[in-house]
Amino acid sequence: MAKLCKKLLLILLPVAAYFAMFIYFEPYNYFGLKKGGTEDSAIVRVRNFTKDPSDVILVGDSRMAHFDMDEVERLVGEKVGQLAFGGASFNESMDLIEYALETNPDIHTVYVGVSFYTLNESYYKDRMSRIKTIAANPFAYMLNFNYNIEMLNEIKYALTSNPDADTEEIGHWTDSDYYYPDGTPREYRKNLEEYAQTIYSVCENYKQDTRDIERYKTLCEELAEKGITVYTVLPPMDESLRALVVDKLGIGENLEKFINEAANYSTVLNYEYTDDSPFTEYNFYDGFHLDLETGLPLFTQMLFGR
């Protein structure tokens, strides 16, 4: 029996060591053990909300995911649950609203990030079941292949001191960003033009997602019956995206229709498709994402300090 225990111990030691290494280097601070660790993950945000629900929530993609939540809570005047995450689809945002209400029926305010990009019918993802499972089960998190790869990358970054491992969206632009090599000025900053080309390629066969828009209308009406305020938020986008993608592909008419209809069942805060935006390219890191220093603080004040 003693020999068997020793053999089991020898087998389990490497496993325990690996799990210990995983917990130390895991990238999303799932266990809440790291000071200043990133929590920009759907898994961790769902887990945090489950443990400590709030009566105000944010959902949406990366343009709603990077706020300074201490500042948001100061402006709102109470705790705010951050459930937005990079790459979230419109249907996943609605899944998160329904999940949050199951967790906390006392929610009274919901901010929903929407965009012409996420209203594209082809931009449909269905990860909520997996997110809830992993958020509730640490072993499912530790045994997930993708998170293990990310953990190993964290080790690589730590060993190499890779400066690009945690790049923040803060712009440091030079003349080469505004001029072609021959000295001709660009219409838009180089990375804005490149970003617009990428978004254009994704939206080239654009078709508005009428099914999920109808679902959103029904959901908002249900929330209104419960006395819940819904803000439909279209975050700012740079003029380059409007000119080189939205107008070029003729998406504007569909977007205006959504905005007008959404105003019938929610409060629309439209910063995306507007002619009087206070934001310039100086405020943007790329066409969709505001610079963390020059743009996002301004948007935070505009959105939550009304």
Side-chain angles (χ1 to χ4, degrees), residues 6 14 17 32 43 94 107 110 116 120 146 148 169 184 201 214 234 236 303:
K6 288 180 181 179
I43 304 293
M94 289 186 279
I107 289 172
V110 180
F116 80 86
N120 190 347
N146 291 329
N148 275 271
E169 293 175 345
T184 305
S201 66
E214 187 61 30
L234 289 87
L303 181 58

Side-chain angles (χ1 to χ4, degrees), residues 37-161:
T38 178
E39 296 179 352
D40 187 4
S41 157
I43 304 293
V44 175
R45 288 183 169 176
V46 166
R47 181 176 171 83
N48 288 345
F49 185 82
T50 302
K51 292 190 295 184
D52 188 15
S54 57
D55 296 341
V56 181
I57 61 169
L58 312 183
V59 298
D61 63 5
S62 56
R63 292 198 287 167
M64 295 288 287
H66 298 153
F67 292 112
D68 178 339
M69 294 308 294
D70 289 337
E71 178 64 8
V72 170
E73 291 178 355
R74 185 188 71 80
L75 292 168
V76 172
E78 63 180 292
K79 183 175 175 58
V80 178
Q82 174 57 287
L83 289 169
F85 65 95
S89 65
F90 189 30
N91 61 290
E92 288 175 322
S93 292
M94 289 186 279
D95 291 343
L96 280 166
I97 294 171
E98 292 172 348
Y99 158 79
L101 283 168
E102 291 171 4
T103 305
N104 177 24
D106 295 327
I107 289 172
H108 61 72
T109 304
V110 180
Y111 291 83
V112 187
V114 188
S115 166
F116 80 86
Y117 188 77
T118 57
L119 290 174
N120 190 347
E121 187 177 71
S122 65
Y123 195 71
Y124 182 89
K125 301 179 182 181
D126 188 10
R127 297 168 289 187
M128 194 59 201
S129 177
R130 179 177 64 86
I131 288 169
K132 288 195 292 185
T133 297
I134 295 177
N137 187 341
F139 285 105
Y141 178 65
M142 291 190 289
L143 295 174
N144 181 276
F145 177 79
N146 291 329
Y147 294 125
N148 275 271
I149 294 298
E150 292 186 47
M151 179 274 294
L152 294 173
N153 283 332
E154 290 292 315
I155 295 175
K156 182 182 73 173
Y157 297 145
L159 292 175
T160 60
S161 299

